[in-house]
Amino acid sequence: MARAFTPKMLTANDLFDGDVIYMTASGEWSRHLSDVAIFEEEAAANAALSEANQQHDRLIGPYLVDARYSADGTPEATHFREEFRSRGPSNYPHGKQTEA
Amino acid sequence: MYVYDEFDEKFVRERVRQFRGQVEKRIDGSLTEDEFKPLRLMNGLYLQLHAYMLRVAIPYGTLDSRQMRQLALIADKWDKGYGHFTTRQNIQYNWPKLKDVPDILDALADVSMHAIQTSGNCIRNVTADHFAGAAADEIEDPRPTAELLRQWSTDHPEFQFLPRKFKIAISGAPNDRAVTKAHDIGVRMVSNDAGEPGYEIIVGGGLGRTPMVGKVIREFLPKAELLPYLEAILQVYNLRGRRDNKYKARIKILVHEAGLEEIKSAVEVAYERIKPEFQRPSDELVARIAQFFEPPQFNNVQTTAFEQEIDKNPALRSFVETNVAEHRNPAYGIVTISLKPVGGTPGDATSEQMRVVADLAEQYGHDELRISHEQNIVLPHVRKADIPAIYQALKEVGLATANIGLISDIIACPGMDYCALATARSIPIAQEISTRFSELKLEHEIGEMKIKISGCINACGHHHVGHIGILGLDKAGVENYQITLGGDATETMALGERAGPGFAADELIPALERLINAYLEIREGSEETFLQSYRRLGSNPFVAALYPEAERNAA
Ligand code: SF4
């Protein structure tokens, strides 16, 4: 039995510095999870992924992963790994968490 | 210190030049990631969770002040001002930008360093006892052999595409500080009944998904036979190692599945075939290498000032007791500089710390430094009389933590703070353990204790061979930590036994406290280490301390 589709976001790493990037509703890439588009439809998610797979010259390893809207309507990751990716390491104030 | 000859220099520069071109092509889009990935991995460049990571080899963990200063310069110029020393005696930079990597590699080549064979299915950086050339218990300095192995394995045409990565470790002392039994091949220097020096060869050890203790495949191999014999092992592995399943591709699985005896005879057959035409290293080369590892000119003047200083300064005494090991020259000591400050990240050093350590090596340490697999820095040759001054200088940059071999001297892999393969974080766990036990002021009371933490089953943090091993897992979307007990990384190697169900992050530290308290209660005097108590009593009392609930329910 096929698994039911759960809402997904599209994320990757930036080619030039490896930073985590997210696909926005307008199809741009953003460095902030708060800008990410969440796909409710499997077909749209897959279409965005195959499009991203063509963008060799600016990103690495795009993939779809579970996401949801928090109570206040901002996108958030469902898994802790994605939560860490959206912030940076926990031992130093490096990565996204320090950049405005 | 081995100095590159013309060939090494040319080879490394050429590789940097090639990689520079490949990076340009990647950036302008003419290489796809699929095409570029194997090329960057060949040059030690990984993609981690938040950024690229460059892994730089420190062959057999040996470096000099000039190299250490260059590592500091790279950290400042192209990274965030620090580096992370790993259990493979490498240094990793966590934040390089793709376009800068060729410049970093050139800066490394300027000091005879590189990032080649730190990744991929080849023979990786050879690791060695970090006290090599200095330890009182040493039979012979293993580094000339390690360098020979480095030259033999670097760019070896036959062994660039092995079924899987291949790790060799070498130790020159009966006390195994190089974890030789957990490597694909372990080499231990021994002497035979006639007193001739040779090697004991261990094969098929490894941690990771299927941990195995290495087995002795040759009890005594004459020194000159090392390369052809290892070539024979590698040939057998290259042909027979499984390529169908990467989880079964390491030589440990081959040895396990085929049996030691069968592999042994296959190796002997290959060895007999190889032996006659094998191009042994020339005497000149062996002599050239040996000359770089000549012991320094020791200054044997003993002084009583050292003892007097220690008597005056209890903090210095404590530092000497925990961080200074016995040198083969009684006027000297081996100083281990702890990269495990209370609450810090195991293995990290700032550029400033690297420079201070480099200065100390130059001024007091015959210009030698080592990186240990336990993620600390070693000054292998230090006059005892100079230790007070060294201690003072270390203290000023936060490097004088007196905890070597104690509960806060933790090995921890980068885990999910950096590593893309991780299933949970390891660094915060190490930080919490060291903070908590330092608050309790129990560290010295507990005595020798090896805690080792990995953020996934790949076991870069050696958790299977920790007296207490901690493995971070993802349990239904929550970080969860599994404890193993009774592991041992030395010549008496043992794999830890799983204690029971894992702990959530906030349950882990209280559980460890119960475990340690139980040990303190049941040990036979303060001389009995945790591992000895565990071996004497078995796991029951320790498991009971970890899981008091289960105990109650059963009652
Ligand atoms: S053990 Fe796992 S998490 Fe830790 S560094 Fe190795 S691969 Fe990464």
Side-chain angles (χ1 to χ4, degrees):
Chain A
M1 205 183 78
R3 268 209 283 164
F5 181 77
T6 49
K8 299 265 186 305
M9 61 178 172
L10 179 58
T11 179
N13 290 82
D14 181 82
L15 169 63
F16 306 100
D17 60 10
D19 194 8
V20 175
I21 52 176
Y22 301 97
M23 172 153 285
T24 68
S26 60
E28 303 287 300
W29 291 97
S30 163
R31 305 228 161 195
H32 307 287
L33 176 61
S34 55
D35 295 332
V36 81
I38 296 184
F39 298 99
E40 309 281 348
E41 304 274 321
E42 187 165 11
N46 287 338
L49 177 61
S50 40
E51 161 91 33
N53 270 322
Q54 302 308 310
Q55 299 182 32
H56 303 301
D57 54 345
R58 64 149 312 167
L59 54 84
I60 318 171
Y63 62 93
L64 293 164
V65 65
D66 282 351
R68 64 185 168 216
Y69 291 104
S70 66
D72 65 4
T74 52
E76 64 179 20
T78 39
H79 193 275
F80 61 86
R81 182 178 196 265
E82 290 304 321
E83 210 181 295
F84 300 156
R85 281 181 84 235
S86 75
R87 276 203 309 263
S90 50
N91 61 333
Y92 298 119
H94 290 161
K96 293 185 186 302
Q97 56 202 334
T98 49
E99 293 146 17
Chain B
M1 193 61 235
Y2 178 76
V3 177
Y4 276 3
D5 64 16
E6 217 176 305
F7 170 80
D8 297 319
E9 163 82 20
K10 254 198 50 218
F11 170 72
V12 170
R13 292 285 179 194
E14 177 57 19
R15 281 288 291 267
V16 177
R17 201 190 57 75
Q18 284 170 3
F19 189 56
R20 190 177 290 282
Q22 291 157 352
V23 167
E24 276 164 21
K25 288 205 181 102
R26 179 69 187 104
I27 286 178
D28 73 19
S30 44
L31 281 178
T32 66
E33 185 58 20
D34 286 348
E35 291 160 340
F36 181 65
K37 189 176 173 186
L39 303 172
R40 69 168 160 79
L41 288 176
M42 276 171 68
N43 290 283
L45 186 63
Y46 287 71
L47 179 69
Q48 298 283 68
L49 279 185
H50 315 289
Y52 288 101
M53 178 271 280
L54 183 68
R55 180 181 292 162
V56 177
I58 300 171
Y60 33 90
T62 292
L63 72 173
D64 61 18
S65 61
R66 181 166 152 262
Q67 292 172 317
M68 187 62 111
R69 283 194 194 100
Q70 193 78 338
L71 295 179
L73 177 134
I74 290 169
D76 281 337
K77 194 163 171 190
W78 292 293
D79 208 90
K80 291 191 191 289
Y82 77 104
H84 175 73
F85 292 100
T86 77
T87 53
R88 298 266 318 132
Q89 299 180 312
N90 296 314
I91 182 170
Q92 296 183 173
Y93 293 104
N94 286 323
W95 304 94
K97 306 233 187 305
L98 179 58
K99 71 167 173 37
D100 293 335
V101 174
D103 291 342
I104 301 177
L105 295 178
D106 259 328
L108 289 168
D110 289 344
V111 293
S112 301
M113 293 180 82
H114 61 72
I116 297 165
Q117 288 183 207
T118 60
S119 166
N121 295 335
C122 55
I123 302 174
R124 301 286 186 90
N125 182 29
V126 176
T127 52
D129 182 352
H130 44 269
F131 289 171
D137 63 354
E138 189 169 88
I139 299 166
E140 205 178 302
D141 187 341
R143 290 173 306 154
T145 306
E147 173 55 27
L148 203 58
L149 290 174
R150 186 193 72 80
Q151 298 198 8
W152 162 75
S153 63
T154 299
D155 216 28
H156 191 304
E158 203 179 321
F159 305 140
Q160 291 302 301
F161 297 97
L162 295 168
R164 199 77 176 83
K165 60 185 163 186
F166 202 93
K167 299 176 183 174
I168 303 177
I170 176 159
S171 153
N175 293 300
D176 183 1
R177 288 173 288 262
V179 208
T180 55
K181 287 189 173 163
H183 283 75
D184 296 285
I185 291 180
V187 178
R188 295 181 63 201
M189 302 197 122
V190 290
S191 42
N192 65 5
D193 296 340
E196 294 152 352
Y199 305 106
E200 176 186 85
I201 308 295
I202 298 158
V203 72
L207 303 175
R209 183 173 298 258
T210 321
M212 303 257 184
V213 176
K215 301 170 184 72
V216 176
I217 187 168
R218 209 23 143 99
E219 270 160 25
F220 184 84
L221 186 70
K223 271 188 92 171
E225 295 304 302
L226 184 67
L227 293 186
Y229 189 78
L230 293 200
E231 180 115 354
I233 296 180
L234 263 298
Q235 269 190 11
V236 169
Y237 169 58
N238 205 12
L239 281 173
R240 297 188 46 176
R242 289 180 59 170
R243 290 173 190 265
D244 60 322
N245 178 344
K246 84 170 196 183
Y247 300 121
K248 303 208 164 176
R250 295 289 285 270
I251 194 172
K252 63 188 173 188
I253 306 289
L254 175 65
V255 173
H256 182 71
E257 286 182 350
L260 179 65
E261 285 315 310
E262 189 184 323
I263 295 305
K264 200 173 175 170
S265 29
V267 167
E268 291 298 333
V269 169
Y271 175 49
E272 289 306 321
R273 196 187 56 239
I274 291 170
K275 236 164 61 174
E277 76 253 35
F278 188 84
Q279 283 250 329
R280 283 178 180 64
S282 67
D283 292 347
E284 291 77 57
L285 176 65
V286 172
R288 177 179 134 77
I289 291 174
Q291 139 216 338
F292 290 111
F293 299 97
E294 286 288 321
Q297 288 291 320
F298 291 123
N299 173 345
N300 292 324
V301 182
Q302 303 223 30
T303 82
T304 52
F306 173 62
E307 275 72 26
Q308 286 163 6
E309 281 289 319
I310 290 183
D311 285 340
K312 280 193 299 209
N313 184 345
L316 172 64
R317 170 180 291 279
S318 162
F319 177 82
V320 170
E321 277 168 5
T322 48
N323 293 36
V324 179
E326 206 185 331
H327 195 280
R328 57 193 234 207
N329 182 321
Y332 276 68
I334 305 171
V335 174
T336 301
I337 301 168
S338 169
L339 296 182
K340 324 288 174 66
V342 174
T345 303
D348 279 9
T350 65
S351 56
E352 187 202 7
Q353 291 175 327
M354 292 184 216
R355 284 193 195 94
V356 167
V357 166
D359 291 347
L360 291 174
E362 194 170 44
Q363 191 177 352
Y364 301 111
H366 296 278
D367 207 22
E368 277 205 41
L369 288 162
R370 307 289 165 70
I371 305 303
S372 76
H373 80 269
E374 289 174 314
Q375 301 179 283
N376 294 311
I377 302 177
V378 177
L379 288 165
H381 310 294
V382 163
R383 277 182 66 209
K384 284 185 179 154
D386 293 326
I387 291 177
I390 291 172
Y391 172 73
Q392 205 46 46
L394 290 173
K395 215 170 129 185
E396 279 160 29
V397 287
L399 284 178
T401 317
N403 65 347
I404 297 304
L406 302 180
I407 194 167
S408 62
D409 184 11
I410 299 168
I411 289 185
C413 78
M416 206 184 269
D417 284 303
Y418 298 92
C419 179
L421 303 171
T423 42
R425 288 175 297 179
S426 5
I427 292 169
I429 301 299
Q431 292 175 308
E432 281 169 38
I433 295 172
S434 95
T435 306
R436 182 61 187 146
F437 283 94
S438 127
E439 281 164 10
L440 292 172
K441 305 231 174 304
L442 275 179
E443 187 152 57
H444 288 269
E445 174 73 29
I446 298 163
E448 188 189 324
M449 167 61 75
K450 309 268 187 192
I451 295 188
K452 302 183 199 270
I453 311 174
S454 304
C456 82
I457 200 166
N458 289 332
C460 304
H462 293 189
H463 63 277
H464 299 109
V465 290
H467 300 169
I468 299 174
I470 300 173
L471 166 63
L473 294 169
D474 172 353
K475 192 175 165 202
V478 182
E479 289 172 290
N480 189 272
Y481 296 90
Q482 212 169 70
I483 293 182
T484 47
L485 296 171
D488 174 2
T490 69
E491 64 283 356
T492 46
M493 181 168 289
L495 300 173
E497 296 163 347
R498 215 181 115 186
F503 294 89
D506 59 349
E507 299 167 349
L508 182 63
I509 307 297
L512 291 174
E513 251 183 86
R514 292 195 299 276
L515 177 67
I516 295 297
N517 285 331
Y519 153 67
L520 292 175
E521 260 169 47
I522 57 185
R523 70 180 175 183
E524 275 183 342
S526 59
E527 292 299 295
E528 188 178 72
T529 65
F530 178 88
L531 188 61
Q532 286 165 343
S533 293
Y534 186 86
R535 286 186 172 159
R536 178 170 61 84
L537 295 163
S539 63
N540 285 346
F542 300 94
V543 171
L546 284 173
Y547 304 97
E549 296 295 316
E551 193 69 352
R552 264 201 298 281
N553 293 345

